[in-house]
Amino acid sequence: MSTITWRTRLTLLFGVTLVTISVLLAFAGPRAGAMPAAGGAKAAAASKGDNGTVKIHRSTTPVTDPRNEPHVCIFYLDAFGFDPGQSVSWQIKSWPPTGDRSVVSSGVLVLDGNGAGFTGDMTLPNGHYKLFWNFTGQHGKAKQKVFWVSCGTPTPPPPTSPPPTSPPPTSPPPTSSTPTPPAPTSPAPTSPAPSQAPAPGPSSSPPGGGLPTTGWPLALIAAAGVALLGTGGTAIAAARRRRGLHSR
């Protein structure tokens, strides 16, 4: 093979190599320029609102704590790292498996000059929930957090004894319409009133010192006395006659 032929082949080889390199650089150049541009767009978007985060905190957790606590009872929402002064609107929805995606709580919040802020304490019935955090200047979806509320079963208070109650008033027994006559009562014995005793006489008081007799018994006694006197007088007269006869 002659010297001219080798030179021709080397020239062609170098020409093909140069063309190949030029084509590769032509395709790689726009891509290399576009990549920094995309990175710059992301950085610009982040600086305009998509930065920052929100956490679920127990009521006893400090606002400076960066942890997220997905199991709470009394809780609050804590945001930090956002743009200064951003306005936030948030919603909490009941979420499966215990909820039906209905809104159970919502509110608005204006962040401070450091892009931070937090809500007041709140609580919900036991169950599963999801937070949706929207803010001014966002470019993507709302920031979201799922969490559980579990407050346990409250202890029932001890039973209290009922206050004493007074017994109900009793009604008086029914009374018959007809009055009952009063029971007969025997008169109390009365002592006889002291009286002036009569002067003693032959027929005023019976022998033995008894009390004087009044009424029809007195008349009978008087008649008997008269009869006795008559009999006695007759007997005396007869006796005297007998004595007179004997003496003669």
PDB file of all heavy atoms in Angstrom, residues 39-51 83 137-139:
ATOM      1  N   GLY A  39     -33.133  23.269  38.257  1.00  0.00           N
ATOM      2  CA  GLY A  39     -32.791  23.371  39.669  1.00  0.00           C
ATOM      3  C   GLY A  39     -33.073  24.747  40.215  1.00  0.00           C
ATOM      4  O   GLY A  39     -33.565  24.912  41.340  1.00  0.00           O
ATOM      5  N   GLY A  40     -32.808  25.752  39.410  1.00  0.00           N
ATOM      6  CA  GLY A  40     -33.082  27.110  39.846  1.00  0.00           C
ATOM      7  C   GLY A  40     -34.578  27.364  40.001  1.00  0.00           C
ATOM      8  O   GLY A  40     -35.014  28.071  40.896  1.00  0.00           O
ATOM      9  N   ALA A  41     -35.402  26.747  39.121  1.00  0.00           N
ATOM     10  CA  ALA A  41     -36.854  26.918  39.226  1.00  0.00           C
ATOM     11  C   ALA A  41     -37.371  26.290  40.511  1.00  0.00           C
ATOM     12  O   ALA A  41     -38.235  26.851  41.190  1.00  0.00           O
ATOM     13  CB  ALA A  41     -37.543  26.298  38.009  1.00  0.00           C
ATOM     14  N   LYS A  42     -36.839  25.093  40.840  1.00  0.00           N
ATOM     15  CA  LYS A  42     -37.250  24.456  42.077  1.00  0.00           C
ATOM     16  C   LYS A  42     -36.870  25.289  43.286  1.00  0.00           C
ATOM     17  O   LYS A  42     -37.647  25.449  44.226  1.00  0.00           O
ATOM     18  CB  LYS A  42     -36.634  23.073  42.192  1.00  0.00           C
ATOM     19  CG  LYS A  42     -37.242  22.065  41.234  1.00  0.00           C
ATOM     20  CD  LYS A  42     -36.635  20.684  41.455  1.00  0.00           C
ATOM     21  CE  LYS A  42     -37.277  19.658  40.515  1.00  0.00           C
ATOM     22  NZ  LYS A  42     -36.715  18.302  40.705  1.00  0.00           N
ATOM     23  N   ALA A  43     -35.700  25.836  43.272  1.00  0.00           N
ATOM     24  CA  ALA A  43     -35.268  26.664  44.395  1.00  0.00           C
ATOM     25  C   ALA A  43     -36.150  27.902  44.515  1.00  0.00           C
ATOM     26  O   ALA A  43     -36.523  28.326  45.606  1.00  0.00           O
ATOM     27  CB  ALA A  43     -33.806  27.057  44.223  1.00  0.00           C
ATOM     28  N   ALA A  44     -36.513  28.481  43.340  1.00  0.00           N
ATOM     29  CA  ALA A  44     -37.367  29.661  43.372  1.00  0.00           C
ATOM     30  C   ALA A  44     -38.748  29.314  43.916  1.00  0.00           C
ATOM     31  O   ALA A  44     -39.330  30.060  44.695  1.00  0.00           O
ATOM     32  CB  ALA A  44     -37.476  30.253  41.961  1.00  0.00           C
ATOM     33  N   ALA A  45     -39.270  28.124  43.486  1.00  0.00           N
ATOM     34  CA  ALA A  45     -40.583  27.717  43.986  1.00  0.00           C
ATOM     35  C   ALA A  45     -40.547  27.488  45.485  1.00  0.00           C
ATOM     36  O   ALA A  45     -41.460  27.848  46.217  1.00  0.00           O
ATOM     37  CB  ALA A  45     -41.050  26.450  43.261  1.00  0.00           C
ATOM     38  N   ALA A  46     -39.465  26.873  45.973  1.00  0.00           N
ATOM     39  CA  ALA A  46     -39.354  26.618  47.406  1.00  0.00           C
ATOM     40  C   ALA A  46     -39.275  27.918  48.183  1.00  0.00           C
ATOM     41  O   ALA A  46     -39.820  28.024  49.285  1.00  0.00           O
ATOM     42  CB  ALA A  46     -38.139  25.745  47.692  1.00  0.00           C
ATOM     43  N   SER A  47     -38.632  28.898  47.613  1.00  0.00           N
ATOM     44  CA  SER A  47     -38.506  30.161  48.334  1.00  0.00           C
ATOM     45  C   SER A  47     -39.799  30.954  48.309  1.00  0.00           C
ATOM     46  O   SER A  47     -39.933  31.923  49.034  1.00  0.00           O
ATOM     47  CB  SER A  47     -37.375  30.997  47.708  1.00  0.00           C
ATOM     48  OG  SER A  47     -37.722  31.347  46.372  1.00  0.00           O
ATOM     49  N   LYS A  48     -40.779  30.535  47.504  1.00  0.00           N
ATOM     50  CA  LYS A  48     -42.035  31.273  47.393  1.00  0.00           C
ATOM     51  C   LYS A  48     -43.192  30.541  48.070  1.00  0.00           C
ATOM     52  O   LYS A  48     -44.322  30.781  47.737  1.00  0.00           O
ATOM     53  CB  LYS A  48     -42.370  31.526  45.927  1.00  0.00           C
ATOM     54  CG  LYS A  48     -41.429  32.511  45.253  1.00  0.00           C
ATOM     55  CD  LYS A  48     -41.842  32.750  43.811  1.00  0.00           C
ATOM     56  CE  LYS A  48     -40.900  33.745  43.123  1.00  0.00           C
ATOM     57  NZ  LYS A  48     -41.299  33.989  41.713  1.00  0.00           N
ATOM     58  N   GLY A  49     -42.968  29.606  49.015  1.00  0.00           N
ATOM     59  CA  GLY A  49     -44.076  29.082  49.785  1.00  0.00           C
ATOM     60  C   GLY A  49     -44.114  27.590  50.010  1.00  0.00           C
ATOM     61  O   GLY A  49     -44.771  27.136  50.931  1.00  0.00           O
ATOM     62  N   ASP A  50     -43.483  26.800  49.189  1.00  0.00           N
ATOM     63  CA  ASP A  50     -43.594  25.355  49.371  1.00  0.00           C
ATOM     64  C   ASP A  50     -42.650  24.810  50.431  1.00  0.00           C
ATOM     65  O   ASP A  50     -42.701  23.620  50.731  1.00  0.00           O
ATOM     66  CB  ASP A  50     -43.326  24.641  48.036  1.00  0.00           C
ATOM     67  CG  ASP A  50     -44.521  24.752  47.096  1.00  0.00           C
ATOM     68  OD1 ASP A  50     -45.582  25.198  47.556  1.00  0.00           O
ATOM     69  OD2 ASP A  50     -44.392  24.394  45.913  1.00  0.00           O
ATOM     70  N   ASN A  51     -41.803  25.642  50.953  1.00  0.00           N
ATOM     71  CA  ASN A  51     -40.960  25.204  52.059  1.00  0.00           C
ATOM     72  C   ASN A  51     -41.781  25.222  53.348  1.00  0.00           C
ATOM     73  O   ASN A  51     -42.911  25.718  53.395  1.00  0.00           O
ATOM     74  CB  ASN A  51     -39.740  26.112  52.201  1.00  0.00           C
ATOM     75  CG  ASN A  51     -40.153  27.572  52.281  1.00  0.00           C
ATOM     76  OD1 ASN A  51     -40.964  28.039  51.497  1.00  0.00           O
ATOM     77  ND2 ASN A  51     -39.603  28.293  53.240  1.00  0.00           N
ATOM     78  N   ASP A  83     -42.603  30.722  54.818  1.00  0.00           N
ATOM     79  CA  ASP A  83     -42.237  32.107  54.532  1.00  0.00           C
ATOM     80  C   ASP A  83     -42.852  33.039  55.575  1.00  0.00           C
ATOM     81  O   ASP A  83     -43.920  32.747  56.126  1.00  0.00           O
ATOM     82  CB  ASP A  83     -42.736  32.504  53.136  1.00  0.00           C
ATOM     83  CG  ASP A  83     -41.981  31.777  52.036  1.00  0.00           C
ATOM     84  OD1 ASP A  83     -40.867  31.284  52.312  1.00  0.00           O
ATOM     85  OD2 ASP A  83     -42.511  31.671  50.912  1.00  0.00           O
ATOM     86  N   GLY A 137     -49.450  31.037  48.341  1.00  0.00           N
ATOM     87  CA  GLY A 137     -48.202  30.878  47.605  1.00  0.00           C
ATOM     88  C   GLY A 137     -47.785  29.447  47.376  1.00  0.00           C
ATOM     89  O   GLY A 137     -46.701  29.212  46.829  1.00  0.00           O
ATOM     90  N   GLN A 138     -48.609  28.476  47.759  1.00  0.00           N
ATOM     91  CA  GLN A 138     -48.200  27.085  47.548  1.00  0.00           C
ATOM     92  C   GLN A 138     -48.299  26.742  46.064  1.00  0.00           C
ATOM     93  O   GLN A 138     -49.130  27.278  45.336  1.00  0.00           O
ATOM     94  CB  GLN A 138     -49.056  26.138  48.381  1.00  0.00           C
ATOM     95  CG  GLN A 138     -50.482  25.976  47.892  1.00  0.00           C
ATOM     96  CD  GLN A 138     -51.284  25.010  48.755  1.00  0.00           C
ATOM     97  OE1 GLN A 138     -51.130  25.007  49.976  1.00  0.00           O
ATOM     98  NE2 GLN A 138     -52.142  24.229  48.138  1.00  0.00           N
ATOM     99  N   HIS A 139     -47.433  25.812  45.617  1.00  0.00           N
ATOM    100  CA  HIS A 139     -47.414  25.385  44.217  1.00  0.00           C
ATOM    101  C   HIS A 139     -47.838  23.929  44.067  1.00  0.00           C
ATOM    102  O   HIS A 139     -48.216  23.520  42.976  1.00  0.00           O
ATOM    103  CB  HIS A 139     -46.004  25.562  43.629  1.00  0.00           C
ATOM    104  CG  HIS A 139     -45.561  26.999  43.598  1.00  0.00           C
ATOM    105  ND1 HIS A 139     -45.940  27.882  42.605  1.00  0.00           N
ATOM    106  CD2 HIS A 139     -44.791  27.719  44.458  1.00  0.00           C
ATOM    107  CE1 HIS A 139     -45.409  29.078  42.837  1.00  0.00           C
ATOM    108  NE2 HIS A 139     -44.699  29.004  43.966  1.00  0.00           N
TER     109      HIS A 139
END
